[in-house]
Amino acid sequence: MILAVADTGPIIHLDEIGVLELLSVIDEVLIPQTVYQELEDGTVPPALESIEYELVEADVTGHNVDLDPGETAALAVASERAAVLLTDDLAARDAANARDVEVHGSIGIIVLAYSRGELAKSEAAKLMRALQAETSLFITDAVVERGIALLEET
């Protein structure tokens, strides 16, 4: 079973390419109240309503990290609950790695969807390239190619 805590990045980026429902391949998704508030400050993607998730409070006491409030809250919950952190932010990844918290981003969610039979390999690769070309996520060619290589390994 996979328990994961999302910050705003993967929610926004997967929604930008119309596949936010891929979050449902995760067994249990937690969204900190702070992250949900960040989404509300923009626009909560309508597709989020089709995904089961739990809104949770985050205790950020003792988490002195140089991250935005949503990322800090998501990291705090992931640390507390021994959950995977879902983020596309490099600084949040580094902070999670320093705390031995497993981290995956939008590409990792696509790989998981492929490994669970929700996507064909060609569709998964197409979505990874769409993340790079069609979203607000900055992602290098090397990261996309590594994601596609993971499909071969899965």
Side-chain angles (χ1 to χ4, degrees), residues 28-55:
E28 189 173 349
V29 177
L30 306 176
I31 299 178
Q33 291 281 356
T34 307
V35 169
Y36 194 82
Q37 183 61 50
E38 286 179 352
L39 291 169
E40 283 184 322
D41 289 347
T43 301
V44 176
L48 193 58
E49 292 178 15
S50 67
I51 299 163
E52 284 190 40
Y53 62 90
E54 179 184 347
L55 282 177

Side-chain angles (χ1 to χ4, degrees), residues 65-88:
V65 291
D66 189 22
L67 301 173
D68 75 26
E71 291 160 349
T72 301
L75 178 58
V77 172
S79 296
E80 174 186 314
R81 305 233 187 150
V84 174
L85 175 64
L86 302 177
T87 186
D88 288 323

Side-chain angles (χ1 to χ4, degrees), residues 132-153:
Q132 183 181 37
E134 302 170 22
T135 72
S136 58
L137 175 62
F138 173 77
I139 189 168
T140 65
D141 290 338
V143 170
V144 171
E145 293 309 315
R146 177 67 184 128
I148 291 170
L150 283 173
L151 298 175
E152 300 295 329
E153 297 169 14

Side-chain angles (χ1 to χ4, degrees), residues 61-115:
T61 308
H63 289 275
N64 298 325
V65 291
D66 189 22
L67 301 173
D68 75 26
E71 291 160 349
T72 301
L75 178 58
V77 172
S79 296
E80 174 186 314
R81 305 233 187 150
V84 174
L85 175 64
L86 302 177
T87 186
D88 288 323
D89 184 85
L90 185 57
R93 281 178 173 274
D94 290 344
N97 287 328
R99 289 163 178 75
D100 292 323
V101 172
E102 185 177 344
V103 185
H104 295 286
S106 295
I107 285 189
I109 295 165
I110 292 169
V111 171
L112 179 62
Y114 167 73
S115 72

